[in-house]
Amino acid sequence: MIFGTLIDAASLISICDLSENNMEILKLFLDVFRNRKLIAIITFAESKGKYLCKDDADCLKNALVHMPKLEILDISDNPLEDDAIMSLIPYFLEMSEKHSPFKDLKVESCELSCDEVRQLLSVLSSLIEPLNSLSIGGNDLGSKVGAPLGKFLGTGVLEL
């Protein structure tokens, strides 16, 4: 019943917050919304021991390419690790080639390494329109992230 209602209301949805839910339903939810184009905000926050994992990130990537009006993606507080963020890089690369409303990315405390954050910053630095904000705190950034971070800051990001 819930998914039927969501499908019927999909064109009216501007915020979709999936926190505080069993993330095992993620694949089903994303399959339902895969071809919907009006989702503006997606939040996947930690929820009582249920986490967004790498397999979910692959599914998320496939769904995100069908959401051209996405503005905010919050995948913070999920132990995604490097493989998951690497699976999302193609989405960010695609966004870098077009004028997109995508403006805010939150990947705080996702157990990311310096190398993957450096690669993510490199891709985000190439966006045609800069992000308004990027949240990367709580990851193992290290000093090697300094140069890519400096380049990213030069893009016009408003909040880091």
Side-chain angles (χ1 to χ4, degrees), residues 99-151:
H99 291 281
S100 167
F102 183 64
K103 293 294 178 193
D104 299 292
L105 176 61
K106 298 175 183 180
V107 290
E108 296 175 2
S109 302
C110 289
E111 299 180 16
L112 304 178
S113 72
C114 178
D115 290 336
E116 271 54 39
V117 171
R118 287 173 53 203
Q119 192 166 2
L120 177 63
L121 287 168
S122 176
V123 170
L124 296 176
S125 293
S126 65
L127 291 172
I128 292 173
E129 296 179 27
L131 291 179
N132 286 337
S133 70
L134 173 65
S135 299
I136 56 174
N139 293 297
D140 185 19
L141 300 181
S143 62
K144 292 181 180 178
V145 80
L149 188 56
K151 180 180 179 188

Side-chain angles (χ1 to χ4, degrees), residues 15-88:
I15 298 174
C16 178
D17 183 346
L18 295 179
S19 60
E20 306 285 333
N21 288 291
N22 181 344
M23 296 312 290
E24 292 175 11
I25 68 166
L26 177 63
K27 288 183 178 73
L28 177 59
F29 180 84
L30 291 176
D31 285 342
V32 168
F33 280 91
R34 184 178 198 137
N35 294 316
R36 305 301 175 186
K37 301 187 183 301
L38 297 174
I39 296 176
I41 300 171
I42 299 183
T43 302
F44 297 96
E46 179 181 348
S47 58
K48 299 178 184 174
K50 307 291 186 202
Y51 297 106
L52 187 64
C53 66
K54 188 211 182 294
D55 291 338
D56 295 326
D58 288 337
C59 184
L60 176 59
K61 175 198 66 175
N62 292 331
L64 288 176
V65 298
H66 298 287
M67 298 177 189
K69 294 187 178 186
L70 178 69
E71 295 176 14
I72 299 170
L73 178 61
D74 182 350
I75 52 177
S76 297
D77 299 314
N78 290 289
L80 296 172
E81 299 180 348
D82 295 337
D83 288 342
I85 208 66
M86 293 309 297
S87 71
L88 294 175

